[in-house]
Amino acid sequence: MTTDSEHPFDGTRTAEVVEKDFYDTIDDTIKQAGLAFPTWDRATEDGVMPTCAAGRKAGNKFSITLWGGSSPDPKAAVEKIKVYWKSKGWKIGNIFDETDAPNPGMQIGATSPTGILVVFGPTKNAIGPQDKADWTMIQVESDCTLDPSLNGVPTPKTAQSR
């Protein structure tokens, strides 16, 4: 197998290590965003996805999309996340600015040094109910692991495993 900067471990990290990195990334991104994500519960959320590839081998990954509250200033939110991710050595990807839309928002993507992909999309609540909890999106996808302990069948995780 070969490695590249997008997938530096190319399936070699254990499921336990990938899982911890995945859930820690979600918690860290939520903390940095400073917004509420009321459906997120690390202790009960199962994000196992059954398909991914590391080289020519099939493996498993973790993936989730979360929806949270509105952002009073999407540009400031994206800049804050960008600066933070850069400080941690993340590779910043595309940034989309739709702050001139009826519901102003932005989106930024980045890849962690371990290959975790995160997309953060804060949206300002310009229209609609103020307490709506699905304005800002965080999407996280782990690197692929070839560890056979993840057989692609989502199973509930215990709080102790996180």
Side-chain angles (χ1 to χ4, degrees):
M1 275 187 230
T2 61
T3 60
D4 61 46
S5 62
E6 293 292 319
H7 305 96
F9 297 98
D10 212 12
T12 59
R13 297 198 312 159
T14 66
E16 183 178 339
V17 169
V18 171
E19 180 182 36
K20 182 177 182 328
D21 192 10
F22 173 77
Y23 287 99
D24 287 351
T25 298
I26 295 167
D27 286 341
D28 196 36
T29 302
I30 289 172
K31 179 181 175 185
Q32 291 303 313
L35 302 170
F37 287 82
T39 63
W40 171 243
D41 183 351
R42 180 180 178 133
T44 60
E45 188 65 52
D46 177 36
V48 176
M49 298 297 290
T51 58
C52 64
R56 294 182 180 184
K57 296 185 179 181
N60 296 285
K61 64 183 174 184
F62 296 88
S63 179
I64 195 167
T65 300
L66 300 171
W67 293 96
S70 64
S71 172
D73 186 347
K75 281 188 181 194
V78 163
E79 185 60 27
K80 179 182 176 187
I81 287 284
K82 180 179 151 187
V83 168
Y84 179 72
W85 284 344
K86 278 186 167 186
S87 77
K88 294 181 64 92
W90 290 34
K91 180 181 175 188
I92 304 299
N94 293 331
I95 299 174
F96 299 99
D97 186 339
E98 297 180 355
T99 53
D100 59 350
N103 247 0
M106 290 189 70
Q107 191 174 81
I108 182 173
T111 305
S112 77
T114 58
I116 298 217
L117 172 66
V118 181
V119 176
F120 174 61
T123 302
K124 184 175 182 178
N125 185 9
I127 58 175
Q130 292 294 328
D131 61 351
K132 192 170 177 181
D134 60 353
W135 291 105
T136 295
M137 179 266 303
I138 296 175
Q139 185 175 32
V140 182
E141 185 176 296
S142 76
D143 53 315
C144 189
T145 179
L146 299 176
D147 185 335
S149 70
L150 287 180
N151 63 5
V153 179
T155 54
K157 304 293 183 197
T158 64
Q160 291 81 21
S161 72
R162 306 239 161 76

